Every structure is written in structure tokens, then in C-alpha cells.
Amino acid sequence: MTQTTMSLILDRRIDEPGNIARLRLRAADGAALPAFTAGAHLDIRVQDGATDLWRQYSICSDPSETGFYEIGVLRDPESRGGSETLHRIAIEGARFDIEGPRNLFPLAEDAPQSILFGGGIGVTPMIAMARRLQALGRDFQLHYCTRSASVTAFGDEIAASGFTARVIHHHDDQPETKLDIAAALPPAASGAHVYVCGPQGFMDWVIASAEAAGYPNDRIHREYFSAEVDATGDSFEVVAERSGITVTVGPQDTIAKALARAGIKVTVKCEEGVCGTCVTDVLDGEIDHRDRFLTDEEREDGDQICACCSRACGARLVLDI
């Protein structure tokens, strides 16, 4: 789906502990911005010299606020360049192309209880969720896990939020605060919903714990902001049915890149199978899913593929493109 690109102004930057920049974006003319729901993110174009990337950042501001969007950006020296560049060019007054907001991590607002787990920068969507749940008068807890108190961001925001009593901090260097996942999870029969965002290992642990406690998949909500993905494998053919073109995807290639060389554009943003931008319909063939975006049910249907990283199990895939 094509989205409108907005040009927004960086109105305020606050450098938080832990190499996190809190960035506030608004319209240049002060106009109201498109509404968003808790869990939504923005696609931000990061441009500087030879760098031209689209990256996704969760909105942490209050969903009731229409004057600005606020995001948190971790400066990660091991990233693929997006966060380092954004930290460098995020100067108050700078303009950024934005698409969205989009929500692939929606909040079930009618749940009897919501348990939020944020690992490091993964707390950003949880803050927006907590704001919304507080406004609705819902029962929730936010477990905020970081390496230490000295690198824990958003302290002032949480302190002024009105839901401080519902936030439980866990720091790796303070064993007495260690997250007891079994104690943090209400019984599955309670109807509670679980939300998790953070580093992949942390997320996998929380998800596996919730599954072991009997939580069904539709009450375990997750959003990966990055993932280790191996997009390599045996060569295979891709038939672009509507375009009438067949390409070969080599061992080190991806479907999106092979199609692009043949003149067929598949929009790719994250390149790690986490954002869903490149999802393409599959008409025939068995899929080797490598992404972290599609649900288990969607994978079982076998009719969608993340073209940035997933591959074919056999010799051929037919795409509706």
C-alpha cells in the first residue's frame, strides 16, 4: 500500500542515558498530525551523503497528542548505519521525510490485564501503550529491563506519567531486581495479554515463557526492531506472474534484489524481515520463511513472503507481482 510522505521538522532533541536520543517531530506549519494508536511506528528516511535508508522507530508519545510525534533512537555502533547517521544529523530544525504512522503491534484495549515487557530501547512502544491503558483505566504492568540504572532512558517521562507505580525496573547489574518471568506472568486463564519488544534473545525468552505458561499465540504480541537473519541458500527461480518475468535468485541474493535488477520494484525498508513493507503474495511454491514479521498462522497459509530475506524451499516460486 502506497503511503503519503510527510516532511516533518525536528522540534526537540533530548539525549537520554544509554546513547538514546529522544526526538520530537512536528509539522513545519504547526498543523495537526495524522492520529496514531499505541504500538505504532514511523518510517523515517535517513539521508546523509551516500547513506539513503528507511528505518522504523516506535512512537512513544501519547496517542492523544496530535501536535507532534516522539520517538527514541538508540545509537548502535553495530547497526547497519541508520542509527549512527540519524544521531549525527538529528539537529533541531532539521527536516525528515516520514511515512506512517503504521501499527503492526496494536494494543488490545479491552483486555482484562496487559503485561508489557520492554528490553532497552524496546520500551518505546510500551510507553505509548502504558499512556493509553492509563487513560482507559485498564489494569497493566510495565516491566522495563536494562543493563543498569545508569543507562535507563525515559526516567523523567515515566516519573511524570502518572503510571509510575505500574512500572517495575529490572537491571542486569542489580541481581535483586532480576525479572522473575514466571511471577510476572498472570495465569493464562486470566485472559491477560502479553506484549514484548527488545533484543531478539530477550524477546525469544519472554515469548517462550508465555507459551510454556499456556498463553495462546493471539495473546502474545511482539515487535522485533531488528533480527539476525540469514538470507542465503540454494538458487531458485522466481516467476513474477503479472509482469511476465522470471528471475534466478542466487545463493547470496534476495528475491527483492533479483527482481529489482529485472526492473520490478519491491519496496524494502528494514532488510531484516521485521517491518512487513516487502510482503508479497505467493501464487505457487513452498516458502522458506526467514522473517520475524508473519505470524505462525500466516506462514501456514503459505501465500505471503517477505521478499527481503525469505526464500523458496524448492526450485520455484510464483509471485503475484
Side-chain angles (χ1 to χ4, degrees):
M1 181 176 65
T2 302
Q3 294 194 44
T4 301
T5 301
M6 300 179 284
S7 179
L8 301 185
I9 298 289
L10 179 57
D11 183 52
R12 185 177 74 169
R13 170 175 175 157
I14 297 175
D15 289 304
E16 297 273 359
N19 284 325
I20 291 172
R22 181 151 49 101
L23 308 180
R24 177 173 290 187
L25 298 153
R26 63 170 177 82
D29 62 0
L33 297 174
F36 73 96
T37 52
H41 71 269
L42 299 174
D43 293 344
I44 299 183
R45 191 174 188 181
V46 183
Q47 289 180 290
D48 184 47
T51 300
D52 190 353
L53 306 166
W54 283 93
R55 290 295 180 259
Q56 295 73 42
Y57 297 99
S58 296
I59 305 173
C60 58
S61 46
D62 193 325
S64 67
E65 173 62 60
T66 60
F68 61 84
Y69 301 130
E70 200 160 81
I71 62 171
V73 180
L74 170 67
R75 185 183 180 197
D76 183 358
E78 297 184 7
S79 76
R80 293 162 295 144
S83 71
E84 287 272 11
T85 302
L86 188 51
H87 264 251
R88 184 172 63 253
I89 65 175
I91 300 168
E92 291 181 1
R95 283 182 177 265
F96 290 93
D97 288 341
I98 308 290
E99 289 185 358
R102 293 195 297 158
N103 200 338
L104 307 174
F105 189 41
L107 180 65
E109 295 185 347
D110 58 350
Q113 188 177 21
S114 299
I115 310 298
L116 317 176
F117 295 95
I121 192 62
V123 78
T124 49
M126 305 304 173
I127 293 174
M129 289 181 175
R131 294 183 194 277
R132 178 60 178 163
L133 291 167
Q134 179 80 356
L136 292 172
R138 297 294 187 185
D139 185 11
F140 72 94
Q141 281 189 336
L142 168 54
H143 293 269
Y144 184 8
C145 304
T146 59
R147 295 192 307 277
S148 71
S150 64
V151 295
T152 298
F154 307 105
D156 292 344
E157 283 288 295
I158 291 172
S161 67
F163 56 76
T164 311
R166 296 180 180 272
V167 181
I168 303 171
H169 289 274
H170 307 278
H171 305 304
D172 292 346
D173 63 350
Q174 297 178 20
E176 66 275 15
T177 70
K178 181 179 178 181
L179 173 60
D180 182 344
I181 189 70
L185 290 170
S190 69
H193 284 238
V194 172
Y195 299 81
V196 60
C197 184
Q200 184 172 334
F202 170 77
M203 291 186 61
D204 290 346
W205 173 58
V206 172
I207 292 165
S209 299
E211 290 174 341
Y215 279 75
N217 189 62
D218 63 355
R219 287 199 277 122
I220 305 173
H221 310 272
R222 66 209 77 184
E223 181 167 68
Y224 290 89
F225 55 76
S226 66
E228 295 178 8
V229 59
D230 179 6
T232 63
D234 294 336
S235 296
F236 60 97
E237 257 186 10
V238 168
V239 179
E241 182 77 8
R242 285 190 281 118
S243 302
I245 291 176
T246 298
V247 300
T248 298
V249 181
Q252 303 294 322
D253 216 350
T254 68
I255 293 172
K257 289 178 181 177
L259 289 172
R261 288 195 299 270
I264 302 172
K265 181 175 176 57
V266 176
T267 302
V268 173
K269 289 185 176 175
C270 74
E271 303 175 281
E272 295 182 323
V274 297
C275 77
T277 302
C278 66
V279 169
T280 305
D281 291 337
V282 177
L283 301 175
D284 189 43
E286 188 177 354
I287 305 166
D288 179 5
H289 292 286
R290 308 285 184 90
D291 66 280
R292 290 280 183 169
F293 175 76
L294 297 174
T295 65
D296 291 341
E297 291 79 5
E298 288 169 333
R299 292 182 178 199
E300 288 171 9
D301 289 341
D303 58 2
Q304 295 183 91
I305 190 169
C306 284
C308 73
C309 63
S310 294
R311 304 182 68 84
C313 285
R316 186 171 179 265
L317 283 177
V318 181
L319 305 185
D320 186 18
I321 191 171

